[in-house]
Amino acid sequence: MMRLSDREKQILKTVIQEFIDTATPVGSSQISQKAKIDLKPASVRRIMASLEEKGYLTQPHTSAGRIPTSAGYRIYVNELLKKSKLTEFQEALIQLAIEEYDGDVQLFMSKVSTVLAKISKQVGIIVTPKFYEAVLERVHLIPVSATRVMVILAVKDQQVRTILVEVNHQVDKDDLHRLARKINQRFYGKTLREIKNSFAHVMSDLKSEKTGLVRFFSKTADRIFDFSRYENYWLHGTNYLMHQPEFTDVQRVSNLIQILEDKEHIFHFMEKREQPPGIRITIGQENELAPMRDCSVITSTYKVGDILGVVGVIGPMRLRYQKVIPLVEYMATAITRKLGMT
């Protein structure tokens, strides 16, 4: 990025704030009235022309004023933005949604994305943590009937998942306990993904044992340790897109909504936002998905134990960054605190 003078920064900041408020190209006369510097419109025009040459502003029509580019918004977010605080009402709205969590993950995630959309007047999104990255602490194999076994996976930070499996022969309690002990010895400290991918190989020296349990669990490890079915995301607020001047083109908004509803694309897009943990902002052309290059995406990671999920807001580049960034940060912190207690 090119270095900007203090005057250029002030003009750029004023143009962006005016455009965020009005959604119309900004002229030099507007800026000379609003910028807190003593400059005539002609001087402002020269500075705006310089900012355009440097790639921070653009002029949609010859006779029109100027609007920010992705690069202009990036300077604004990185150097010129002053974040505001949430109102007491907004904090109360978030806390109400968070505190109502009673173990129903789907309802909880739905409420979170709804509150984000309601406060930001944009699209709210939350993606569940990837449970297959959880670290195993202990496996319990408990006979439920002659041929049914409950597999209890206890992972780090006191998270527990249970799976009921049907074994193809009668099982003995002592045999199950011995197998569980061997699994714990060999896989303690491994992620569920690692266990799923290596179970048959790591346990191969035991496949000849008489009970057939090792052979059975080796064949079913893909199902037992596969938690992709728990992965999901919740999205609310696409109706707000319809009211944005940037999305009056039916085809453009249709393409955007279509990509937002594509699970594979959204998971891939959000997965890249987990590292490094914390707040992440991508603006316009920085977004890899073509239909989202008219958008800004503000996300933050939240934690359930050591596992990361992602929560955020999606809207036009003309977002109220000073309000949306602290909103996303506050929500991520609130989710982490709540789910870390359960």
Side-chain angles (χ1 to χ4, degrees):
M1 290 185 182
M2 297 184 185
R3 292 179 63 86
L4 299 181
S5 68
D6 289 343
R7 280 189 172 181
E8 285 177 318
K9 287 180 179 179
Q10 184 62 51
I11 296 296
L12 178 62
K13 181 179 180 180
T14 307
V15 170
I16 291 175
Q17 289 176 336
E18 185 71 7
F19 184 67
I20 287 173
D21 288 339
T22 65
T24 57
V26 181
S28 55
S29 58
Q30 292 170 266
I31 299 306
S32 60
Q33 292 171 12
K34 296 209 171 191
K36 296 178 181 178
I37 49 178
D38 185 19
L39 286 176
K40 295 180 179 179
S43 299
V44 173
R45 272 196 299 275
R46 283 195 296 273
I47 293 174
M48 290 175 72
S50 173
L51 289 169
E52 184 175 0
E53 287 178 9
K54 292 176 179 179
Y56 299 120
L57 297 178
T58 188
Q59 195 170 23
H61 308 290
T62 306
S63 59
R66 290 174 174 84
I67 64 174
T69 63
S70 295
Y73 281 116
R74 174 52 64 193
I75 286 278
Y76 176 70
V77 168
N78 287 0
E79 300 182 24
L80 309 176
L81 181 70
K82 184 177 180 180
K83 292 188 290 186
S84 59
K85 291 184 178 180
L86 271 65
T87 66
E88 290 184 6
F89 175 75
Q90 290 170 339
E91 289 185 3
L93 206 59
I94 292 170
Q95 289 303 326
L96 181 63
I98 296 293
E99 293 306 320
E100 286 182 345
Y101 175 59
D102 60 358
D104 187 333
V105 174
Q106 293 197 23
L107 181 60
F108 177 73
M109 298 292 181
S110 179
K111 284 183 177 180
V112 166
S113 60
T114 300
V115 168
L116 279 172
K118 185 174 182 178
I119 295 176
S120 67
K121 298 295 187 289
Q122 306 294 344
V123 175
I125 184 170
I126 182 166
V127 182
T128 53
K130 292 180 173 58
F131 192 74
Y132 59 70
E133 295 296 345
V135 174
L136 182 71
E137 289 199 334
R138 184 164 292 276
V139 170
H140 299 277
L141 302 177
I142 301 173
V144 176
S145 68
T147 59
R148 300 180 83 191
V149 177
M150 180 177 288
V151 182
I152 302 176
L153 302 176
V155 298
K156 195 172 179 182
D157 295 295
Q158 300 179 340
Q159 299 292 314
V160 175
R161 289 291 183 272
T162 60
I163 309 100
L164 201 61
V165 295
E166 189 80 30
V167 183
N168 52 13
H169 62 276
Q170 190 165 334
V171 294
D172 177 78
K173 180 180 178 180
D174 291 335
D175 291 336
L176 287 173
H177 286 176
R178 279 191 289 272
L179 177 58
R181 188 164 58 250
K182 291 185 181 298
I183 293 173
N184 289 324
Q185 288 170 349
R186 299 186 181 200
F187 292 104
Y188 172 81
K190 302 291 185 183
T191 67
L192 298 187
R193 190 213 305 253
E194 290 171 327
I195 298 171
K196 173 188 170 185
N197 293 337
S198 66
F199 190 92
H201 174 70
V202 173
M203 302 293 283
S204 60
D205 61 311
L206 301 176
K207 283 186 178 179
S208 60
E209 52 86 36
K210 296 178 181 179
T211 67
L213 284 172
V214 172
R215 288 192 300 277
F216 172 79
F217 278 95
S218 293
K219 289 179 181 178
T220 57
D222 278 357
R223 182 167 69 88
I224 293 172
F225 297 101
D226 179 16
F227 283 84
S228 60
R229 62 188 177 277
Y230 289 102
E231 293 178 14
N232 210 337
Y233 72 100
W234 283 260
L235 193 78
H236 282 89
T238 52
N239 56 303
Y240 290 116
L241 295 175
M242 311 293 185
H243 303 296
Q244 305 290 348
E246 292 87 343
F247 299 113
T248 52
D249 183 289
V250 175
Q251 189 59 54
R252 178 182 289 184
V253 75
S254 175
N255 290 342
L256 177 56
I257 291 174
Q258 188 174 355
I259 204 74
L260 291 176
E261 293 177 349
D262 187 317
K263 186 173 182 178
E264 183 178 348
H265 277 102
I266 289 299
F267 271 137
H268 180 70
F269 180 74
M270 288 297 185
E271 185 176 32
K272 292 185 175 182
R273 307 180 78 86
E274 292 179 3
Q275 298 295 337
I279 198 79
R280 184 166 179 189
I281 303 163
T282 49
I283 302 169
Q285 296 298 314
E286 297 170 0
N287 292 306
E288 63 182 57
L289 298 175
M292 297 180 72
R293 288 178 186 154
D294 293 317
C295 298
S296 283
V297 183
I298 301 175
T299 60
S300 185
T301 50
Y302 65 91
K303 293 181 74 175
V304 181
D306 283 341
I307 318 169
L308 294 177
V310 180
V311 62
V313 167
I314 301 169
M317 288 192 288
R318 195 178 47 82
L319 273 177
R320 296 188 182 277
Y321 297 92
Q322 77 276 17
K323 294 183 178 181
V324 177
I325 294 170
L327 166 63
V328 172
E329 289 176 324
Y330 187 94
M331 181 64 86
T333 300
I335 295 170
T336 297
R337 285 176 179 164
K338 182 62 178 178
L339 297 186
M341 293 167 54
T342 56

